[in-house]
Amino acid sequence: MRPFAYHRPSTVAEALEATGTSTDVMYLGGGTNLIDLMRLGVVSPGTLVDVTRAAPATVEETPGGGLRVGAGVRNGDLAAHPLVRRGYPMLAEAVLAGASGQLRNMATVGGNLLQRTRCAYFQDVSKPCNKRSPGTGCPARAGDHRNLAILGHSDSCVATHPSDMAVALAALGAQVHVEGPGGAHVVPMPGLHRLPGDEPDRDTVLAPGELITAVELPPPRPGGRSRFRKARDRASFSFAVVSVAAVLEVDGGVVRDCRIALGAVAHVPWRAEAAETALRGAPATEEEFGRAADAELAAARPLPLNRFKVALARNLLVRVLADLAEAR
Amino acid sequence: MKGDANTTYDDAAPAPITVDLQLSVNDQLYPVTVDTRETLLDTLRGRLDLTGAKKGCDHGQCGACTVLVDGRRVVSCLTLTVSVDDRTITTVEGLGSGGALHPLQKAFIDHDALQCGFCTPGQLCSAAGVLAEAAAGWPSLVTPRSPPGAGPEAAGCSHDPAAPPHDPAARALPDGPPEPVRLGEEEIRERMSGNLCRCGAYPGIVAAIAEVAR
Ligand SMILES: Cc1cc2nc3c(=O)[nH]c(=O)nc-3n(C[C@H](O)[C@H](O)[C@H](O)COP(=O)(O)OP(=O)(O)OC[C@H]3O[C@@H](n4cnc5c(N)ncnc54)[C@H](O)[C@@H]3O)c2cc1C
Ligand code: SF4
Ligand code: FES
Ligand code: FES
């Protein structure tokens, strides 16, 4: 591991100043992904700016009836927070479905959003990888891609984004608050992450030196019911093979509105807009849910070893919607 | 400075950057000079002679290195030592008090909750964290959707597919501190899933924790 300088500022302004626009400086949250990747040699910053004291670590109600979650809030605290459990139980579920109790106590909201892919080639510096070393190729395409993308991938990269929390935030339409050398701005989820295209080394739309300061949740939708479900290879402490986050509003047996996101199927938390469009105004029946899932997955381009994920995504989505509808 | 922390460094790389700090471990202050790259696990084992925490994977995947930082369980293999100089650290060596075993340690012995013992210090520290989290009312993925006293649809988790989904609009959790969560076998298994045991001593581990939680 390359030696690095360590700073621990206590304010956002100090953190931004310590970082500037340098790509040699990285923010450190809980370190559960970054320290691992540094040890593996995947990234080797010359300076770490620990933002666990600088980034806000509170959960506050906004004047509009939503919640503002500081980027420094630990995942465990987020899932246990009464306001989150009350108004956004799907988000609590997604967070609790991820990693382990120890890791959730360490991981921050900002770091969770910006964790890197679990693609095995990305993590192995003895292998080529366009995401880690642009232009070297993508061995996953012809190699092990069982758990990689079925939607939105490119010739240069078929990686998936591993965060469960981000899938719930995408379905909720959360706003990510960012501050950086160029000022402050807000990025609506799922717009934080980007598809790989020709630049798979860029996971997100953030510019160098930009810090996530908070995530803002819109007010809970009256009449909306929500759920996060995750299919994985073992019952606990395992990354998603496919996940679904959905908010459904049914009125008189008809879908009034819905917001759906799929996880572990793409380079981004995948907002299922085609399925949403197919569902709005449709009868809330399992048949229609299946039709909506098919509309979404018509765009799927599975790879030889992950064909099963298309059927898995369909079944999981139909199950989640049916459960949400039946509970009325 | 004694011992050699076993993080591997590239000799051709630029000179290490070191920091002088004080670590508070098991109610004792240790002045140490550490490389910024050093993890808490390597500092504990290599410099402080506290070899209870074990290095199973060094990637956050096994839980053998679990310690408590300010009373919360974390994996010390992904914790930088420089990042916890202002924290209070408890390792398995400090779990009991005044020479007496911690109730969890006693229960682990009573329930044969180990074979080789390699995972045990991590299991014990993790279990201590679980007891505190449950007492504070923290849910897990298998905690019923409607904890006692909560509104019909509030909170809870998605584990049971037959359970009714909840209503985001129903802000019905009572005010005040959340109720403690009762730790049955399913809760313990889910909450302890970050601690692997290659010997498969899980039944004893679950029974030991359940006994202390009662
Ligand atoms: C064994 C294991 C199992 C796991 N299982 C799951 C799982 O099932 N589901 C899941 O979703 N996740 C899982 N994870 C991943 C875990 O959730 C992430 O590692 C964690 O959320 C990252 O948060 P952190 O604060 O530790 O980030 P760090 O590791 O500190 O940082 C991650 C990245 O974010 C950047 N960063 C951190 N904070 C900010 C900020 N405020 N602004 C800008 N940049 C920032 C860092 O520079 C770095 O690039 C697992 C991890 C491990 C080790
Ligand atoms: S899928 Fe992406 S991350 Fe994985 S090897 Fe290919 S380029 Fe690298
Ligand atoms: S050694 Fe830390 S989790 Fe395995
Ligand atoms: S007792 Fe041997 S690994 Fe758990």
PDB file of all heavy atoms in Angstrom, chain A residues 233-246:
ATOM      1  N   ASP A 233     -27.417 -15.342  -2.628  1.00  0.00           N
ATOM      2  CA  ASP A 233     -26.962 -16.730  -2.616  1.00  0.00           C
ATOM      3  C   ASP A 233     -27.016 -17.380  -1.239  1.00  0.00           C
ATOM      4  O   ASP A 233     -26.981 -18.590  -1.116  1.00  0.00           O
ATOM      5  CB  ASP A 233     -25.541 -16.833  -3.170  1.00  0.00           C
ATOM      6  CG  ASP A 233     -25.523 -16.588  -4.688  1.00  0.00           C
ATOM      7  OD1 ASP A 233     -26.539 -16.902  -5.336  1.00  0.00           O
ATOM      8  OD2 ASP A 233     -24.521 -16.082  -5.194  1.00  0.00           O
ATOM      9  N   ARG A 234     -27.015 -16.576  -0.178  1.00  0.00           N
ATOM     10  CA  ARG A 234     -27.268 -17.130   1.159  1.00  0.00           C
ATOM     11  C   ARG A 234     -28.195 -16.165   1.886  1.00  0.00           C
ATOM     12  O   ARG A 234     -28.344 -15.015   1.480  1.00  0.00           O
ATOM     13  CB  ARG A 234     -25.966 -17.404   1.928  1.00  0.00           C
ATOM     14  CG  ARG A 234     -25.115 -16.179   2.148  1.00  0.00           C
ATOM     15  CD  ARG A 234     -23.807 -16.514   2.898  1.00  0.00           C
ATOM     16  NE  ARG A 234     -23.051 -15.285   3.101  1.00  0.00           N
ATOM     17  CZ  ARG A 234     -21.767 -15.239   3.433  1.00  0.00           C
ATOM     18  NH1 ARG A 234     -21.087 -16.345   3.591  1.00  0.00           N
ATOM     19  NH2 ARG A 234     -21.161 -14.087   3.611  1.00  0.00           N
ATOM     20  N   ALA A 235     -28.769 -16.622   2.996  1.00  0.00           N
ATOM     21  CA  ALA A 235     -29.875 -15.884   3.599  1.00  0.00           C
ATOM     22  C   ALA A 235     -29.479 -14.541   4.185  1.00  0.00           C
ATOM     23  O   ALA A 235     -30.303 -13.651   4.353  1.00  0.00           O
ATOM     24  CB  ALA A 235     -30.537 -16.744   4.675  1.00  0.00           C
ATOM     25  N   SER A 236     -28.196 -14.382   4.535  1.00  0.00           N
ATOM     26  CA  SER A 236     -27.775 -13.136   5.164  1.00  0.00           C
ATOM     27  C   SER A 236     -26.315 -12.869   4.800  1.00  0.00           C
ATOM     28  O   SER A 236     -25.586 -13.789   4.414  1.00  0.00           O
ATOM     29  CB  SER A 236     -27.931 -13.265   6.689  1.00  0.00           C
ATOM     30  OG  SER A 236     -27.611 -12.030   7.318  1.00  0.00           O
ATOM     31  N   PHE A 237     -25.877 -11.602   4.955  1.00  0.00           N
ATOM     32  CA  PHE A 237     -24.473 -11.235   4.745  1.00  0.00           C
ATOM     33  C   PHE A 237     -23.984 -11.661   3.367  1.00  0.00           C
ATOM     34  O   PHE A 237     -23.013 -12.388   3.223  1.00  0.00           O
ATOM     35  CB  PHE A 237     -23.598 -11.873   5.842  1.00  0.00           C
ATOM     36  CG  PHE A 237     -22.227 -11.247   5.969  1.00  0.00           C
ATOM     37  CD1 PHE A 237     -21.976  -9.950   5.553  1.00  0.00           C
ATOM     38  CD2 PHE A 237     -21.170 -11.970   6.510  1.00  0.00           C
ATOM     39  CE1 PHE A 237     -20.708  -9.387   5.681  1.00  0.00           C
ATOM     40  CE2 PHE A 237     -19.906 -11.414   6.645  1.00  0.00           C
ATOM     41  CZ  PHE A 237     -19.674 -10.121   6.221  1.00  0.00           C
ATOM     42  N   SER A 238     -24.705 -11.212   2.347  1.00  0.00           N
ATOM     43  CA  SER A 238     -24.347 -11.560   0.983  1.00  0.00           C
ATOM     44  C   SER A 238     -24.895 -10.469   0.069  1.00  0.00           C
ATOM     45  O   SER A 238     -25.970  -9.931   0.319  1.00  0.00           O
ATOM     46  CB  SER A 238     -24.974 -12.908   0.634  1.00  0.00           C
ATOM     47  OG  SER A 238     -24.532 -13.359  -0.606  1.00  0.00           O
ATOM     48  N   PHE A 239     -24.129 -10.126  -0.965  1.00  0.00           N
ATOM     49  CA  PHE A 239     -24.585  -9.103  -1.895  1.00  0.00           C
ATOM     50  C   PHE A 239     -25.800  -9.597  -2.679  1.00  0.00           C
ATOM     51  O   PHE A 239     -25.999 -10.804  -2.831  1.00  0.00           O
ATOM     52  CB  PHE A 239     -23.459  -8.728  -2.856  1.00  0.00           C
ATOM     53  CG  PHE A 239     -22.426  -7.843  -2.230  1.00  0.00           C
ATOM     54  CD1 PHE A 239     -21.265  -8.365  -1.674  1.00  0.00           C
ATOM     55  CD2 PHE A 239     -22.629  -6.469  -2.161  1.00  0.00           C
ATOM     56  CE1 PHE A 239     -20.321  -7.544  -1.073  1.00  0.00           C
ATOM     57  CE2 PHE A 239     -21.700  -5.637  -1.560  1.00  0.00           C
ATOM     58  CZ  PHE A 239     -20.537  -6.178  -1.014  1.00  0.00           C
ATOM     59  N   ALA A 240     -26.577  -8.667  -3.202  1.00  0.00           N
ATOM     60  CA  ALA A 240     -27.773  -9.018  -3.959  1.00  0.00           C
ATOM     61  C   ALA A 240     -27.404  -9.682  -5.281  1.00  0.00           C
ATOM     62  O   ALA A 240     -26.415  -9.326  -5.916  1.00  0.00           O
ATOM     63  CB  ALA A 240     -28.598  -7.767  -4.229  1.00  0.00           C
ATOM     64  N   VAL A 241     -28.212 -10.651  -5.681  1.00  0.00           N
ATOM     65  CA  VAL A 241     -28.150 -11.164  -7.052  1.00  0.00           C
ATOM     66  C   VAL A 241     -29.134 -10.333  -7.879  1.00  0.00           C
ATOM     67  O   VAL A 241     -28.826  -9.925  -8.988  1.00  0.00           O
ATOM     68  CB  VAL A 241     -28.472 -12.667  -7.095  1.00  0.00           C
ATOM     69  CG1 VAL A 241     -28.454 -13.181  -8.527  1.00  0.00           C
ATOM     70  CG2 VAL A 241     -27.465 -13.447  -6.247  1.00  0.00           C
ATOM     71  N   VAL A 242     -30.285 -10.079  -7.313  1.00  0.00           N
ATOM     72  CA  VAL A 242     -31.243  -9.108  -7.839  1.00  0.00           C
ATOM     73  C   VAL A 242     -31.976  -8.524  -6.637  1.00  0.00           C
ATOM     74  O   VAL A 242     -32.256  -9.249  -5.669  1.00  0.00           O
ATOM     75  CB  VAL A 242     -32.301  -9.756  -8.775  1.00  0.00           C
ATOM     76  CG1 VAL A 242     -33.367  -8.731  -9.167  1.00  0.00           C
ATOM     77  CG2 VAL A 242     -31.669 -10.327 -10.040  1.00  0.00           C
ATOM     78  N   SER A 243     -32.286  -7.225  -6.674  1.00  0.00           N
ATOM     79  CA  SER A 243     -33.137  -6.675  -5.624  1.00  0.00           C
ATOM     80  C   SER A 243     -34.205  -5.792  -6.257  1.00  0.00           C
ATOM     81  O   SER A 243     -34.055  -5.334  -7.399  1.00  0.00           O
ATOM     82  CB  SER A 243     -32.332  -5.881  -4.596  1.00  0.00           C
ATOM     83  OG  SER A 243     -31.833  -4.690  -5.172  1.00  0.00           O
ATOM     84  N   VAL A 244     -35.269  -5.579  -5.503  1.00  0.00           N
ATOM     85  CA  VAL A 244     -36.382  -4.745  -5.959  1.00  0.00           C
ATOM     86  C   VAL A 244     -36.784  -3.800  -4.835  1.00  0.00           C
ATOM     87  O   VAL A 244     -36.953  -4.230  -3.695  1.00  0.00           O
ATOM     88  CB  VAL A 244     -37.625  -5.604  -6.332  1.00  0.00           C
ATOM     89  CG1 VAL A 244     -38.830  -4.706  -6.623  1.00  0.00           C
ATOM     90  CG2 VAL A 244     -37.329  -6.490  -7.529  1.00  0.00           C
ATOM     91  N   ALA A 245     -36.912  -2.524  -5.166  1.00  0.00           N
ATOM     92  CA  ALA A 245     -37.496  -1.561  -4.240  1.00  0.00           C
ATOM     93  C   ALA A 245     -38.703  -0.963  -4.948  1.00  0.00           C
ATOM     94  O   ALA A 245     -38.595  -0.534  -6.092  1.00  0.00           O
ATOM     95  CB  ALA A 245     -36.497  -0.461  -3.890  1.00  0.00           C
ATOM     96  N   ALA A 246     -39.851  -0.976  -4.285  1.00  0.00           N
ATOM     97  CA  ALA A 246     -41.053  -0.476  -4.944  1.00  0.00           C
ATOM     98  C   ALA A 246     -41.957   0.274  -3.977  1.00  0.00           C
ATOM     99  O   ALA A 246     -42.064  -0.081  -2.806  1.00  0.00           O
ATOM    100  CB  ALA A 246     -41.833  -1.635  -5.576  1.00  0.00           C
TER     101      ALA A 246
END
